[in-house]
Amino acid sequence: MKWSFYILAFFFVSVYCENCSHDDDCQLVHCSTGSVNCIHHICTCTENTGQGCTGRDDCGIHCHHGQPHCVDGVCHCYGD
């Protein structure tokens, strides 16, 4: 029973997530706050922190949901 739940969840995520190569590829994902960014080939809602960066190591901020990422020269947090 437990494995069937995981298989069903994996199938659901595989079908409903939007794959991308660039931010412009994200047409189906809409965010209530923040913006849609293509991160690791998946369209994801992120919140602009206002801190400039050239790489992830420049983002010394704390995100509620994981590590910050440098997107288009600005630090972003997933779903914050």
Side-chain angles (χ1 to χ4, degrees), residues 33-35 37 39 44-49 59 61-71 74-80:
T33 62
S35 61
N37 294 103
I39 299 176
T44 306
C45 293
T46 62
E47 191 70 33
N48 181 336
T49 65
C59 299
I61 58 170
H62 173 75
C63 295
H64 297 288
H65 304 285
Q67 299 294 318
H69 289 270
C70 185
V71 180
V74 179
C75 296
H76 285 259
C77 292
Y78 290 120
D80 285 351

Side-chain angles (χ1 to χ4, degrees), residues 3-21:
W3 287 104
S4 62
F5 172 75
Y6 290 127
I7 292 169
L8 183 62
F10 176 77
F11 177 74
F12 180 77
V13 169
S14 298
V15 170
Y16 287 101
C17 70
E18 185 175 6
N19 294 326
C20 58
S21 296

